[in-house]
Amino acid sequence: MPPIIEPTREEIRRYARGALRKADVLDVVPVPLDIVTDALGLTKEDLFDVGLETMPDKMKRAAAKFSGLILGALSKEKVLYINSSETGPRSRFTQAHELGHESLPWHSAFFYVDDKTTLDPSTKLELEAEANAFAAELLFGLDRFETEADAYAPSLGVPLQLSNRFGVSRHAALRRYAQTSRHAVALITMGRNLVGAQPGFPVILDQCETSAAFVEKYGALTALIGRRMTTVEHPSVVTLAEMSHAVHDEPVDIVLDTKRGKEKFQGHLFFNRYCRFILLTKPRRLGRKIQAIPA
């Protein structure tokens, strides 16, 4: 078995660019994943049509452990299996993830069976995290998403509207936006339920994101907010998080104690039934605007 290397993000991006170029879809949005699959010499099969009994023995044994929770798999015989019960952005991410296993050359000695755990954006499994990173570069068209996003004034509407255009989930678009924007934006990700005697929400630290501009101006977000948002320390955040709306784009003033002193941000809420996402932006008068909910 060849040694596992530690690639940089740029190296993973290079292989994603190579896959897009090989399929001749560098400038196509949303990325046509079936064309990329064909270009990489893979055969795509429906996991339900194929059935576990026809899989290679080693893969069959690995798949059996998931007890019906398999979302995707890739065999050494260059067959890509996709669970057709998953549709839309979820299915697209699964397919892009398996393409990552195929495209990153140090993954070639393995076969893969993936479920919701290995496909989780915060997975600690090294090869799975690399395949997730590849999938993100592929689906967001390398820099195309951030180029289009930064043409607008910072707002919740930007990633939510572009998620449809790129064929990705809204929470994935939110995370990508906060990671890559040239504007000072940040994303607080919290659990959906209140916890403890003092009203508040647990912060999911490994799913919080900040742009480089935010960190440079104000510091690391996780250092500013801690592990829990409470009504004592962050009443505006809790008030916003308690709203029942799936999308609340009306800005709520949120004050954080940053390395530049107290700074006021505008908070916007997206709730996907699993997590509460609060996007922090600074008010801007200039730039085109996108509504979070189309008029």
Side-chain angles (χ1 to χ4, degrees):
M1 180 183 298
I4 297 174
I5 66 172
E6 295 184 2
T8 63
R9 178 172 179 256
E10 282 305 314
E11 188 169 5
I12 291 174
R13 281 168 58 87
R14 179 164 62 89
Y15 285 106
R17 183 178 292 107
L20 292 170
R21 183 178 291 117
K22 190 169 186 177
D24 195 23
V25 294
L26 268 171
D27 298 317
V28 180
V29 175
V31 172
L33 294 180
D34 285 350
I35 293 178
V36 179
T37 299
D38 290 342
L40 295 178
L42 296 173
T43 300
K44 180 183 173 185
E45 299 283 357
D46 187 326
L47 192 62
F48 290 152
D49 289 343
V50 174
L52 291 181
E53 67 277 0
T54 63
M55 284 184 171
D57 288 341
K58 288 185 178 180
M59 178 172 285
K60 191 190 308 181
R61 288 194 294 271
K65 298 176 183 178
F66 290 101
S67 184
L69 299 177
I70 307 165
L71 298 179
L74 179 70
S75 74
K76 291 183 180 180
E77 291 75 20
K78 289 189 172 290
V79 179
L80 189 158
Y81 301 95
I82 297 295
N83 187 329
S84 62
S85 68
E86 298 286 326
T87 59
R90 174 76 270 177
S91 177
R92 283 177 56 79
F93 181 79
T94 300
Q95 186 170 349
H97 176 99
E98 303 304 338
L99 293 175
H101 285 314
E102 171 64 21
S103 299
L104 300 174
W106 56 94
H107 289 215
S108 62
F110 306 89
F111 64 86
Y112 300 90
V113 179
D114 292 298
D115 68 349
K116 290 181 179 179
T117 301
T118 58
L119 292 166
D120 189 279
S122 59
T123 181
K124 302 299 190 296
L125 300 171
E126 183 177 4
L127 296 182
E128 301 303 338
E130 292 170 3
N132 281 349
F134 177 96
E137 297 302 330
L138 201 70
L139 293 170
F140 288 107
L142 302 170
D143 297 326
R144 191 174 186 89
F145 175 86
E146 43 264 48
T147 297
E148 292 192 20
D150 284 342
Y152 298 92
S155 74
L156 182 66
V158 174
L160 295 194
Q161 293 280 6
L162 288 182
S163 68
N164 295 326
R165 172 164 161 72
F166 282 80
V168 298
S169 68
R170 291 190 286 180
H171 84 267
L174 268 167
R175 293 189 67 184
R176 183 76 173 192
Y177 183 54
Q179 289 170 351
T180 63
S181 178
R182 65 180 172 83
H183 303 294
V185 300
L187 184 69
I188 302 174
T189 303
M190 298 179 293
R192 63 179 178 176
N193 298 320
L194 293 166
V195 295
Q198 174 63 48
F201 291 87
V203 177
I204 306 174
L205 293 175
D206 58 5
Q207 294 193 39
C208 293
E209 307 288 355
T210 50
S211 67
F214 185 98
V215 175
E216 182 180 354
K217 288 182 179 180
Y218 307 114
L221 176 67
T222 51
L224 307 182
I225 61 176
R227 295 181 175 274
R228 186 176 172 205
M229 309 301 289
T230 69
T231 53
V232 172
E233 296 180 314
H234 301 287
S236 297
V237 174
V238 174
T239 298
L240 180 57
E242 287 177 326
M243 294 180 180
S244 60
H245 307 73
V247 175
H248 186 81
D249 199 25
E250 284 296 317
V252 172
D253 288 342
I254 292 175
V255 176
L256 294 180
D257 192 5
T258 75
K259 68 180 185 181
R260 298 174 61 168
K262 292 190 181 299
E263 288 282 342
K264 182 186 293 184
F265 299 91
Q266 292 185 335
H268 318 260
L269 172 70
F270 170 65
F271 179 37
N272 69 354
R273 297 184 301 163
Y274 302 103
C275 296
R276 298 176 186 273
F277 302 90
I278 292 182
L279 183 71
L280 302 179
T281 65
K282 295 292 284 185
R284 285 175 62 90
R285 296 181 180 178
L286 301 178
R288 293 184 292 164
K289 293 180 171 58
I290 298 182
Q291 291 180 306
I293 304 177

